[in-house]
Amino acid sequence: MGCNCSTRKPPPMSRFYEIRGNATEKGLMHGSLLGTQIGRCWDFYSSLFYRVGWTDNEIKRAMAAVKSTLVKTFPQYMAEIEGIAEAANIAEWKILALNSRTEILNARRKTSSWSKEKSERIKKAIQDDNGECTSLFSEKAGVLAQNWDWAKTMESLFIVLRIVKEDGKKILMLTEPGIIGKIGMNSDGVGTCLNLIYHSETAAKWGGLKRDIFEGTIPIHIMCRAILDAPSLKKAVSTIKGVPRSCATMSHLLVADKSSDWAMLEIGGKVVDVIGGKESKEELPVHTNHFLKCGYAEEKTGGPSSYARYDRCVELHKKKCDTLADVQAVLSDAEGKLPICRPYLPSLELGIKKIGTCCSVAMELASGKLHITLGSPMTVPYTTFDIHTGGEEGE
């Protein structure tokens, strides 16, 4: 079990950033500190949006609908996004699109310009693709963890962001430049992981057949931020159950707290299914990229990699998952043809040359320590960041 991890020194602190203040101030700091990286992030994602058939005008219309819902539901997050756009000198709709990139890519489907042959090729590629992330929680260790599997391009772009709020509470998370919520934890001991799920028959309804009817929604990355702003697991779950959602928000959130309670939130468009918990006798806190329930339990909703990684993670979790080291060993498991720790391989679906495990992250929710490989765990060791001090502690 495990991959051959390098012993070279961790990358410099340039991957760590801190923002603070009110919503606008946090956004201005984010945009000022990371303007160049946000531009690179947009270049990457916009190329994917265009590749699956979106145009700028379609994205603008979709983001107008998202903004309308965001202003009503979480005005503070819209103010933060406006601050990012202003300081980075990047159009507001583009920052909204970065924060909605899961929904935009989930809505991929054939357009009027696609031939029947191309539509069938894309459909087959989705079914055969390698899949994405693996997440798990160890109740005994109080460690919430996941591998973030995505394009190699993002390995050099993702950041560790510490947010100090006006009331002194803090957030520490892995995110992408310009995106205000992702995988992380807060100083109240609440954390979240994120897994994409793609179910084409449902997700493709977003925008209508001509992509001209966009239902307002709270994007999944904004939901992650709402969890990280929640003072408790109970509040986090109730918040997610109450926010507006669209067909294209197909994801899973593994949420846990410092008392070792947890919940898996499967979001199937407008449906949210809450699975498990500390008292659960049936479910393990393990998830990959297919639905376990949410009305889709009898359907195939993921590729071969998702099911293989899930089965292997369950096996290892049952065998030994009692310490931080145990959890990290699960994340680095490289056994099998479709392993948990994934080498970089081409993605037929999106035309990306290399998709694999960009990093591993393990969060000790009680102590506030976030352990992360600032690059592929196959080549980079863990670096530790402390939510209370923001400092780096080499491992």
Side-chain angles (χ1 to χ4, degrees):
M1 185 173 74
C3 57
N4 295 321
C5 296
S6 168
T7 57
R8 67 185 174 89
K9 292 182 179 180
M13 284 289 285
S14 60
R15 300 293 286 276
F16 174 81
Y17 296 87
E18 182 177 295
I19 59 176
R20 57 176 62 229
N22 62 33
T24 298
E25 291 167 343
K26 289 194 290 281
L28 290 170
M29 287 187 70
H30 188 152
S32 178
L33 289 168
L34 290 157
T36 299
Q37 293 95 318
I38 295 169
R40 289 172 59 196
C41 202
W42 169 255
D43 289 343
F44 171 73
Y45 280 110
S46 62
S47 69
L48 297 187
F49 300 160
Y50 303 149
R51 195 173 298 161
V52 298
W54 287 83
T55 66
D56 280 349
N57 285 336
E58 289 171 340
I59 298 171
K60 288 177 183 178
R61 287 198 298 271
M63 293 308 99
V66 169
K67 179 178 180 178
S68 176
T69 307
L70 194 54
V71 166
K72 295 173 185 175
T73 311
F74 296 118
Q76 71 275 27
Y77 298 152
M78 191 60 230
E80 192 168 332
I81 286 170
E82 290 170 346
I84 293 171
E86 178 183 340
N89 194 27
I90 295 174
E92 181 186 287
W93 67 270
K94 293 182 178 180
I95 305 300
L96 280 164
L98 288 178
N99 283 274
S100 307
R101 56 94 159 170
T102 295
E103 285 69 23
I104 294 173
L105 292 175
N106 253 0
R108 53 187 176 251
R109 52 176 168 77
K110 76 173 185 177
T111 68
S112 57
S113 63
W114 284 7
S115 66
K116 182 179 180 181
E117 291 74 19
K118 182 174 181 178
S119 297
E120 290 300 317
R121 189 168 69 249
I122 293 294
K123 183 177 181 180
K124 184 178 187 302
I126 290 171
Q127 295 170 344
D128 294 343
D129 208 26
N130 295 318
E132 291 198 33
C133 313
T134 303
S135 60
L136 70 150
F137 179 62
S138 167
E139 292 182 34
K140 290 185 178 180
V143 173
L144 180 64
Q146 84 166 77
N147 280 349
W148 183 48
D149 297 354
W150 193 213
K152 193 175 191 303
T153 300
M154 299 309 296
E155 184 182 316
S156 62
L157 266 180
F158 75 79
I159 60 170
V160 176
L161 183 66
R162 182 174 184 252
I163 301 173
V164 181
K165 300 193 285 186
E166 289 181 289
D167 62 3
K169 293 188 176 182
K170 303 169 184 70
I171 293 170
L172 187 63
M173 66 178 173
L174 151 70
T175 191
E176 300 163 89
I179 296 180
I180 69 169
K182 205 173 178 70
I183 303 156
M185 61 181 173
N186 65 30
S187 52
D188 287 310
V190 178
T192 189
C193 293
L194 170 63
N195 301 88
L196 169 70
I197 303 175
Y198 180 60
H199 188 245
S200 58
E201 288 75 8
T202 300
K205 295 177 183 176
W206 194 50
L209 295 177
K210 296 181 180 179
R211 284 207 182 114
D212 57 2
I213 304 171
F214 295 102
E215 179 185 0
T217 186
I218 298 300
I220 193 66
H221 284 84
I222 302 296
M223 292 189 206
C224 288
R225 177 59 179 275
I227 290 171
L228 296 174
D229 276 324
S232 66
L233 175 66
K234 182 178 180 180
K235 178 62 176 178
V237 172
S238 66
T239 297
I240 299 307
K241 290 177 70 175
V243 299
R245 297 174 299 276
S246 77
C247 295
T249 303
M250 311 285 283
S251 299
H252 161 261
L253 298 163
L254 176 51
V255 188
D257 68 15
K258 63 185 178 183
S259 77
S260 283
D261 202 1
W262 57 275
M264 295 190 292
L265 307 182
E266 287 192 339
I267 303 172
K270 294 189 174 183
V271 178
V272 176
D273 206 345
V274 182
I275 305 169
K278 187 161 57 173
E279 305 303 321
S280 175
K281 304 298 182 183
E282 298 180 358
E283 304 291 344
L284 278 177
V286 169
H287 213 289
T288 51
N289 307 102
H290 61 274
F291 284 110
L292 301 178
K293 292 187 177 180
C294 210
Y296 297 106
E298 303 304 316
E299 297 185 44
K300 180 183 177 183
T301 54
S305 172
S306 181
Y307 289 94
R309 284 181 287 111
Y310 178 79
D311 290 344
R312 178 63 173 164
C313 195
V314 167
E315 175 190 348
L316 296 174
H317 197 292
K318 288 180 177 179
K319 184 177 179 180
K320 194 173 188 294
C321 197
D322 300 339
T323 67
L324 171 63
D326 292 339
V327 173
Q328 292 174 327
V330 173
L331 294 179
S332 67
D333 184 72
E335 290 191 13
K337 293 182 179 179
L338 297 169
I340 293 171
C341 187
R342 297 173 51 210
Y344 285 111
L345 296 170
S347 168
L348 298 175
E349 175 196 357
L350 292 172
I352 299 173
K353 292 182 179 179
K354 293 182 179 180
I355 284 184
T357 300
C358 290
C359 71
S360 297
V361 57
M363 298 169 280
E364 296 184 273
L365 299 179
S367 67
K369 294 188 184 298
L370 183 149
H371 312 272
I372 185 169
T373 64
L374 297 175
S376 169
M378 293 185 173
T379 56
V380 180
Y382 279 90
T383 298
T384 300
F385 297 91
D386 189 306
I387 194 170
H388 302 293
T389 65
E392 174 188 352
E393 303 173 1
E395 290 194 351

